[in-house]
Amino acid sequence: MIRGELRKLLRDRIFIGAFWALFFVHLFTMYTCEKGTARFRFVYQQREEYLAYCRGEDGHDLSGFYREDTDRQARHIRNYRDFIANMPDRAEYMKQTALYADADSYVYRNLDKSCRDFAGLLDSRLDAGNCYGIQGYSAYRAGYFFALVQAAVCVYLTVYRERECGLLLLVKGIRRGRGSLASAKLTALLFVSCAYGVLQELSTIFFFGYFYGYGDCGRLLQSVPAYRDCARKMTVQEAFLAQSGIRLLALAVAVILIYAVAMAVKNAVAGMAAAALV
């Protein structure tokens, strides 16, 4: 039954058209948003100058953009140990406020936990490097929207269109037919939606890697100034896997919610509106 649901989706012209249309719009949006940033201008469009600066030829940094990034990373690495070492003192100061008055509250216990988590990073070695690709990848958010739209299109094709055509009436006379069909449709939806999510994540990683590169992916994520507040010790490569995994998990949860709304609300317009609100 699952195979049949997948076959119907993968052969559907509307699904195929929406799948690739959303993917290419995602690529265009990503390029358009990134084209207006300073890193696109100074790192990608002026790549020869940037590479020359990386080789130690400071004269190619006419605008001071590369030096500013280098100084920012140097300050971050120099102050990181103090940032962690002074955390218990800052926590004690915060505990004097009304928000942390209750020692059994979540915020109070979370403050102590944060201090313990960061304590394990006190002796970590941070290395400066190319942070432009990591910053671009982490800042791109529009992909969430396209993934959700793709999931909504799949839900419409597998639930509302078949309901409007009367195809779902065929299973009402079958024992346990509704449960089997519902689970098969949900499995097919999760498969195609996560497949789209994986394709989108891989294209995003490749996009920013092509334009800027990622430097040494084996260095600690905390080496990137934007991730100073990350309490989990991991490399840049592990962070990519973690972020992609979290996004795919969030997408799977969203698909389940949209599907549940579609099964509960009979009208297609009302169902899609309710799913959008969720």
Side-chain angles (χ1 to χ4, degrees), residues 12-39:
D12 193 291
R13 293 182 178 180
I14 297 178
F15 165 77
I16 296 173
F19 186 99
W20 290 111
L22 286 168
F23 178 71
F24 287 114
V25 171
H26 144 72
L27 293 178
F28 177 76
T29 303
M30 187 164 49
Y31 175 78
T32 303
C33 293
E34 193 61 26
K35 190 177 180 180
T37 62
R39 59 175 171 261

Side-chain angles (χ1 to χ4, degrees), residues 6-278:
L6 282 173
R7 188 181 297 113
K8 283 192 299 183
L9 268 179
L10 297 178
R11 292 179 177 179
D12 193 291
R13 293 182 178 180
I14 297 178
F15 165 77
I16 296 173
F19 186 99
W20 290 111
L22 286 168
F23 178 71
F24 287 114
V25 171
H26 144 72
L27 293 178
F28 177 76
T29 303
M30 187 164 49
Y31 175 78
T32 303
C33 293
E34 193 61 26
K35 190 177 180 180
T37 62
R39 59 175 171 261
F40 183 89
R41 176 185 175 186
F42 291 107
V43 180
Y44 175 69
Q45 292 184 326
Q46 301 180 21
R47 177 166 295 184
E48 294 300 326
E49 286 77 4
Y50 174 64
L51 294 177
Y53 175 82
C54 292
R55 292 194 298 267
E57 301 175 17
D58 295 343
H60 288 267
D61 186 20
L62 300 178
S63 64
F65 180 81
Y66 311 134
R67 170 56 60 184
E68 181 181 353
D69 178 72
T70 302
D71 293 342
R72 181 169 58 250
Q73 291 193 57
R75 288 194 303 271
H76 165 68
I77 294 175
R78 185 170 58 251
N79 298 330
Y80 187 73
R81 185 183 297 271
D82 293 336
F83 164 72
I84 297 178
N86 295 332
M87 190 168 291
D89 294 336
R90 294 196 299 272
E92 290 299 324
Y93 175 79
M94 294 173 65
K95 288 177 182 178
Q96 298 175 11
T97 62
L99 180 62
Y100 298 92
D102 185 4
D104 294 327
S105 64
Y106 167 78
V107 291
Y108 189 98
R109 290 183 284 107
N110 189 60
L111 190 60
D112 288 336
K113 182 180 183 301
S114 297
C115 293
R116 293 194 300 270
D117 290 342
F118 276 100
L121 296 169
L122 184 60
D123 297 326
S124 298
R125 175 186 171 182
L126 305 186
D127 299 305
N130 182 354
C131 299
Y132 298 114
I134 303 169
Q135 293 169 353
Y137 169 76
S138 301
Y140 179 67
R141 299 282 191 274
Y144 294 131
F145 173 77
F146 299 117
L148 289 175
V149 171
Q150 191 272 341
V153 170
C154 291
V155 170
Y156 173 80
L157 293 176
T158 57
V159 178
Y160 286 113
R161 190 177 64 174
E162 293 192 8
R163 182 180 286 157
E164 292 170 357
C165 296
L167 298 178
L168 298 183
L169 296 175
L170 298 176
V171 300
K172 287 190 173 182
I174 304 175
R175 185 182 181 184
R176 299 179 182 177
R178 293 185 178 182
S180 300
L181 181 63
S183 61
K185 287 182 177 296
L186 178 58
T187 303
L189 285 171
L190 288 172
F191 179 84
V192 295
S193 298
C194 289
Y196 177 85
V198 170
L199 178 63
Q200 186 170 270
E201 283 297 308
L202 290 176
S203 67
T204 304
I205 292 174
F206 176 80
F207 175 91
F208 288 103
Y210 173 77
F211 278 92
Y212 308 119
Y214 296 114
D216 180 15
C217 290
R219 70 187 191 276
L220 280 181
L221 179 65
Q222 286 77 9
S223 298
V224 183
Y227 285 92
R228 185 197 67 169
D229 296 333
C230 179
R232 185 171 297 277
K233 191 173 185 178
M234 63 175 64
T235 64
V236 171
Q237 183 177 2
E238 292 170 344
F240 280 140
L241 294 175
Q243 284 188 258
S244 298
I246 291 172
R247 290 176 180 178
L248 291 175
L249 179 61
L251 176 60
V253 172
V255 170
I256 294 173
L257 290 175
I258 296 173
Y259 181 69
V261 171
M263 295 297 288
V265 182
K266 305 301 181 183
N267 182 270
V269 176
M272 288 295 100
L277 290 175
V278 172

